[in-house]
């Protein structure tokens, strides 16, 4: 081998050695990058995969960034249900067989809130077409997109049995989550009644998220205040003017609503006594016996006599408020005045006075006196989006309720479609109804499913109830069909939970008023719920107001 050949060979070896060294350095660098990433991941998440907690007023998109809250802190009265959400995100690899479970919450002196009082749901994402032509005001919809809304229960709400081992199409258990995707879970915590069952103080426990890839535990702290919400809500409600959809019965529809503090139009009369005790039933419609149906032209379906109304009322326990829904949106309908006045007189003359109600944009002075000194209408149910609320205090006779429909009016008021944040439902049912003098809330339908008791009704909530092709996603749908989840009852949605939470907010305000604290309540609530067109859309502001009311009630309660 000549010198040239030796030189080439040596250079080649040197080059190969250099390549080996470079390759080695690159490998080391790659390993360092992976280790650095893993260390950073463990530092930021502290778990096998990202899990975080958020308020029930937040909605998390399928690919939203990982949150930073790794524990749950809540406060509650006895007899109240509070909620939170836990979000699970799949890392670079998929997650399989994902489940959530809860421990009991242990409190003062060994007191315990049983694990059965923590109700768990897997949130279901649906894709909607956004609300069209919303009115141009200060409360625009979020628009077309994919949102979590229906809630798939882990257990049957009536029997308490797991829904996992049966042949349901949709299940909460054993979920698979694709890489980079989020899966939210909803948690309701119902605090037992009675100071001996739930003495005031801090209760702690754990939520566990398990998957084939590992387990993540989330600490829970619940402060139970020293006061209790009444079994029967102070705020009245009338939910659904329509007969139950196929898949529901009067009983199952009423129960699915009452579990969330909302009263159906009516139930089976034989259920009423137990509904008062178990669900807090606080009113009942005699439309189950006689459908009135007064039309704008003055025609009607029936006008029962006073004796017939008395006989119908005798089916119900004394003290339970009874009512008749007389007519729907009778705006500018003078031909209907005689029938409305007549029905008011007949209902009020019964052995047990029965109240009347109808939906309208603003109270009609022509109905303020039916001839006996009373208003023909006891409950004026006003469409807030039309912004024709009367001056307060209202002196026209009867009281005020609010309702929402597919009509978004001027676009300033709370709206209840899927593409609006849940604060819309909560603030109307709660603090806005309070500041605007409303004592009740109404909605026209809960199970207006697009494809009956099928999975298609879960996947398609786009409706055009207002006509003209105007999209209103979720209008008339606050419950989801039981068939796909093989449950005895329809499933709730996040919007229904927000209504429930609002009714509990209202209860805080009412309880403080009863204690002579109305001025304090107004000082806290008025700034965030000033009027139907001037209200806060900030969840922190609403939750902060509720916290202040709860702390005040706790301080005023006997220790």
């Amino acid at each position: 081998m000549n010198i040239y050949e030796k030189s080439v060979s040596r250079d080649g070896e040197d080059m190969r050695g250099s390549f080996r060294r470079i390759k080695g350095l690159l490998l080391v660098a790659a390993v360092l990058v992976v280790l650095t990433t893993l260390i950073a991941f463990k530092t930021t998440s502290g778990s096998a995969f990202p899990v975080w907690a958020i308020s029930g007023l937040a909605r998390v998109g399928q690919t939203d960034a990982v949150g930073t809250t790794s524990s749950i802190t809540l406060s509650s009265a006895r007899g109240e249900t509070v909620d939170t959400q836990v979000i699970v995100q799949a890392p670079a690899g998929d997650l399989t067989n994902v489940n959530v479970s809860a421990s009991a919450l242990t409190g003062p002196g060994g007191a315990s809130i049983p694990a059965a009082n923590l109700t768990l749901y897997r949130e279901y994402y649906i894709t909607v077409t956004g609300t069209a032509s919303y009115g141009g005001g200060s409360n625009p919809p979020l628009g077309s997109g994919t949102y979590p809304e229906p809630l798939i229960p882990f257990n049957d709400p009536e029997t308490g049995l797991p829904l996992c081992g049966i042949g349901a199409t949709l299940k909460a258990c054993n979920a698979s989550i694709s890489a980079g995707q989020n899966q939210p879970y909803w948690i309701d915590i119902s605090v037992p009644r009675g100071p001996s069952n739930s003495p005031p103080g801090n209760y702690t426990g754990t939520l566990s998220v398990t998957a084939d890839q590992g387990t993540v535990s989330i600490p829970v702290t619940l402060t139970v205040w020293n006061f209790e919400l009444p079994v029967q809500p102070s705020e009245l409600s009338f939910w659904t003017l329509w007969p139950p959809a196929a898949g529901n019965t009067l009983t199952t529809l009423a129960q699915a609503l009452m579990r969330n503090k909302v009263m159906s139009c009516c139930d089976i009369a034989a259920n009423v006594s137990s509904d008062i005790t178990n669900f807090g039933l606080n009113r009942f419609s005699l439309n189950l016996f006689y459908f009135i149906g007064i039309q704008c032209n003055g025609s009607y379906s029936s006008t029962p006599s006073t004796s017939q109304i008395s006989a119908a009322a005798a089916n119900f326990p004394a003290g339970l408020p009874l009512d008749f829904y007389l007519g729907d949106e009778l705006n500018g309908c003078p031909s209907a005045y005689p029938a409305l006045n007549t029905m008011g007189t007949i209902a009020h003359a019964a052995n047990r006075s029965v109240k009347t109600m109808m939906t309208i944009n603003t109270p009609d002075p022509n109905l303020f006196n039916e001839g006996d000194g009373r208003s023909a209408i006891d409950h004026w149910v006003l469409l807030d989006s039309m912004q024709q609320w009367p001056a307060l205090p209202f002196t026209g006779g009867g009281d005020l309720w609010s309702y929402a429909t597919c009509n978004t009016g001027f676009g300033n008021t709370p709206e209840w479609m899927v593409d609006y944040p849940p604060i819309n439902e909560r603030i109307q049912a709660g603090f806005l109804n309070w500041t605007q003098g409303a004592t009740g809330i109404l909605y026209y339908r809960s199970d207006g499913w697009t494809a009956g008791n099928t999975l298609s009704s879960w996947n398609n909530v786009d409706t055009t109830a207002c006509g003209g092709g105007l999209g209103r996603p979720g209008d008339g749908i606050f419950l989801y069909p039981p068939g796909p989840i093989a449950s005895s009852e329809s499933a709730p949605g996040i919007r229904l939970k927000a209504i429930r939470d609002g009714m509990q907010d209202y209860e805080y305000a009412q309880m403080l008023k009863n204690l002579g604290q109305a001025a304090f309540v107004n000082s806290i609530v008025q700034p965030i719920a000033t009027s139907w067109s001037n209200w806060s859309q900030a969840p922190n502001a609403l939750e902060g107001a509720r916290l202040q009311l709860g702390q005040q009630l706790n301080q005023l309660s006997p220790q």
Side-chain angles (χ1 to χ4, degrees):
M1 183 180 295
N2 58 35
I3 296 175
Y4 173 76
E5 289 173 333
K6 289 180 180 178
S7 176
V8 170
S9 176
R10 191 165 51 247
D11 291 345
E13 290 173 0
D14 290 344
M15 291 178 66
R16 285 192 293 272
S18 297
F19 283 134
R20 284 194 294 270
R21 286 191 295 273
I22 292 170
K23 184 177 180 181
L25 290 171
L26 289 173
L27 180 59
V28 170
V31 170
L32 287 172
V33 168
V34 171
L35 287 174
T36 302
T37 301
L38 288 173
I39 290 169
F41 175 73
K42 292 294 284 185
T43 300
T44 55
S45 72
S47 59
F49 43 83
V51 176
W52 68 100
I54 60 167
S55 159
L57 283 172
R59 276 213 191 102
V60 173
Q62 289 177 300
T63 58
D64 285 359
V66 174
T68 59
T69 304
S70 57
S71 61
I72 295 168
T73 303
L74 298 167
S75 53
S76 176
R78 294 187 296 270
E80 182 176 12
T81 299
V82 292
D83 50 64
T84 187
Q85 298 178 86
V86 168
I87 316 302
V88 181
Q89 186 181 90
D94 297 350
L95 291 178
T96 52
N97 287 322
V98 180
N99 288 291
V100 178
S101 60
S103 74
L105 304 181
T106 302
S112 178
I113 297 174
N117 283 48
L118 282 74
T119 304
L120 309 177
Y121 303 87
R122 181 168 71 87
E123 298 180 22
Y124 190 71
Y125 280 103
I126 54 175
T127 299
V128 303
T129 303
T131 299
S133 301
Y134 80 94
S138 59
N139 186 30
L142 299 174
S144 299
T146 300
Y147 301 93
E149 157 59 11
L151 300 175
I152 307 171
F154 277 81
N155 296 321
D156 187 293
E158 178 63 18
T159 66
L161 297 175
L163 293 171
C164 186
I166 55 180
T169 305
L170 295 178
K171 296 181 181 180
C173 64
N174 303 333
S176 295
I177 309 174
S178 300
Q181 298 286 304
N182 295 323
Q183 175 57 67
Y185 291 85
W186 186 276
I187 299 95
D188 274 345
I189 305 177
S190 299
V191 180
R193 296 183 176 278
S196 60
N197 294 323
S198 304
N202 291 332
Y203 291 70
T204 58
T206 303
L207 283 172
S208 297
V209 180
T210 60
D212 291 335
Q213 292 74 20
T215 299
V216 179
S217 295
I218 303 170
V220 179
T221 301
L222 173 68
T223 299
V224 174
W225 283 320
N226 193 30
F227 64 94
E228 185 166 315
L229 301 192
V231 174
Q232 291 178 292
S234 299
E235 185 177 12
L236 299 178
S237 54
F238 187 118
W239 229 251
T240 200
L241 308 175
W242 295 70
N248 272 332
T249 64
L250 281 173
T251 297
T252 60
L253 175 58
Q255 286 186 353
L257 292 171
M258 287 188 296
R259 290 187 200 280
N260 296 283
K261 305 286 187 183
V262 170
M263 306 300 138
S264 178
C265 153
C266 17
D267 191 358
I268 302 300
N271 295 341
V272 166
S273 292
S274 61
D275 285 346
I276 292 172
T277 301
N278 298 329
F279 295 107
L281 178 70
N282 64 359
R283 51 148 298 280
F284 195 94
S285 176
L286 294 185
N287 290 84
L288 181 69
F289 295 85
Y290 300 103
F291 177 68
I292 310 302
I294 297 172
Q295 304 297 310
C296 192
N297 62 8
S299 62
Y300 48 83
S301 295
S302 65
T303 52
S305 67
T306 294
S307 61
Q308 287 175 313
I309 294 174
S310 295
N315 290 283
F316 301 95
L320 178 67
L322 305 174
D323 51 61
F324 271 119
Y325 184 82
L326 300 186
D328 188 54
E329 298 186 344
L330 297 179
N331 296 294
C333 296
S335 296
Y337 294 159
L340 291 168
N341 278 310
T342 296
M343 268 308 304
T345 301
I346 292 172
H348 296 153
N351 290 341
R352 186 169 152 196
S353 182
V354 175
K355 300 216 170 159
T356 60
M357 68 171 67
M358 73 172 182
T359 52
I360 195 168
N361 291 345
T362 194
D364 190 332
N366 294 287
L367 298 170
F368 284 177
N369 190 335
E370 68 193 19
D372 63 356
R374 295 181 61 175
S375 171
I377 305 301
D378 295 296
H379 301 315
W380 298 96
V381 188
L382 309 183
L383 182 57
D384 57 286
S385 64
M386 299 310 293
Q387 297 180 204
Q388 297 179 28
W389 205 260
L392 300 177
F394 177 61
T395 58
D399 58 24
L400 306 175
W401 289 27
S402 73
Y403 80 106
T405 71
C406 55
N407 185 347
T408 59
F410 300 99
N412 298 310
T413 55
E415 302 300 338
W416 297 1
M417 271 66 77
V418 172
D419 62 331
Y420 285 83
I423 196 170
N424 281 259
E425 288 84 5
R426 181 167 175 177
I427 202 164
Q428 178 163 353
F431 291 148
L432 267 174
N433 256 14
W434 171 262
T435 63
Q436 303 311 297
T439 59
I441 192 164
L442 177 145
Y443 195 63
Y444 80 101
R445 194 164 192 186
S446 304
D447 55 359
W449 301 325
T450 60
N453 187 21
T454 70
L455 180 60
S456 294
S457 291
W458 282 72
N459 291 327
N460 177 21
V461 299
D462 284 348
T463 63
T464 55
C466 276
L470 296 176
R472 296 290 188 265
D475 179 57
I477 304 171
F478 269 73
L479 297 168
Y480 296 85
I485 57 174
S487 175
S488 64
E489 283 180 18
S490 296
I494 289 175
R495 294 173 299 145
L496 183 57
K497 298 295 183 184
I499 292 285
R500 177 201 65 198
D501 291 350
M503 297 190 76
Q504 293 177 153
D505 294 340
Y506 188 102
E507 201 68 64
Y508 278 40
Q510 183 63 44
M511 291 177 71
L512 282 167
K513 179 183 178 182
N514 294 344
L515 293 171
Q517 297 284 309
F520 173 79
V521 174
N522 289 332
S523 72
I524 301 300
V525 175
Q526 280 283 356
I528 66 167
T530 306
S531 71
W532 292 113
S533 58
N534 182 9
W535 52 279
S536 175
Q537 300 179 34
N540 287 344
L542 188 151
E543 291 174 329
R546 173 199 173 269
L547 181 62
Q548 291 183 74
L549 300 188
Q551 290 170 337
Q552 183 77 348
L553 280 166
N554 187 58
Q555 291 175 7
L556 294 172
S557 297
Q559 299 300 316

